[in-house]
Amino acid sequence: MSNGEATRRRRIGLVGVVGLVAASVLLHAGCGELAPAESDIDSTSFQRSNFEIRAGEKVSHVIEVEAGQTLEFRAEASRDINVLLLAPDGQELGRWERADHLEPQSIEAEVSGGYLFEFDNSYSRVTRKSVTLLHRIIPAGETATAE
């Protein structure tokens, strides 16, 4: 093998090693342990649900609410995520795209049943997300704090 050929092979080998190291760093950045997103609200009267959503996946969470009650909720994510809220009859009540937090929301339930939150990280190829959902059910006739 000529001197020039040996030098070229070393360069190719070095480029390959650098590429592998870079890929490893990117994978670890997207797959490291994530702590649940923290909220700055007083959550004593709220139920807290924490979710970890892998890259390319969706997670659903259902909250049972009776007609006339108010569902009050907030959410925070470690990074941007898509969120969809559906009523038990399939009606879309809210859609947030690439949000890292949802401001306080309240929805008066028109029908009884399971209100579905879908947290969607399907657009991400590497990064998993950590989401915290805070919610509470307010009895009919009482006032929600988030309007």
Side-chain angles (χ1 to χ4, degrees):
M1 175 182 336
S2 73
N3 221 6
E5 179 67 19
T7 301
R8 188 178 74 73
R9 285 189 179 188
R10 276 195 301 268
R11 282 187 195 146
I12 290 171
L14 182 59
V15 169
V17 170
V18 169
L20 287 174
V21 169
S24 177
V25 168
L26 287 173
L27 286 173
H28 283 6
C31 298
E33 290 303 314
L34 297 174
E38 289 299 322
S39 175
D40 60 354
I41 64 165
D42 173 20
S43 62
T44 56
S45 63
F46 287 79
Q47 291 184 0
R48 177 184 296 258
S49 301
N50 294 315
F51 310 96
E52 185 175 302
I53 307 160
R54 291 188 202 141
E57 294 188 356
K58 297 178 183 179
V59 170
S60 296
H61 183 71
V62 176
I63 300 172
E64 294 293 326
V65 184
E66 298 295 322
Q69 293 179 329
T70 299
L71 170 60
E72 186 176 55
F73 61 92
R74 301 167 177 133
E76 292 189 17
S78 58
R79 292 190 176 179
D80 60 332
I81 197 152
N82 295 332
V83 182
L84 176 65
L85 174 59
L86 299 174
D89 61 3
Q91 177 185 0
E92 185 177 307
L93 301 175
R95 178 182 296 267
W96 299 268
E97 296 198 11
R98 296 221 156 176
D100 60 3
H101 72 281
L102 302 182
E103 295 295 328
Q105 309 278 325
S106 62
I107 295 174
E108 185 173 336
E110 294 181 9
V111 295
S112 297
Y115 285 73
L116 177 100
F117 285 88
E118 181 182 82
F119 300 99
D120 179 358
N121 193 27
S122 62
Y123 62 87
S124 181
R125 292 183 170 187
V126 176
T127 307
R128 61 183 171 176
K129 312 291 173 55
S130 178
V131 177
T132 298
L133 173 66
L134 297 167
H135 79 277
R136 66 180 173 178
I137 307 298
I138 300 170
E142 290 187 24
T143 305
T145 58
E147 295 297 329

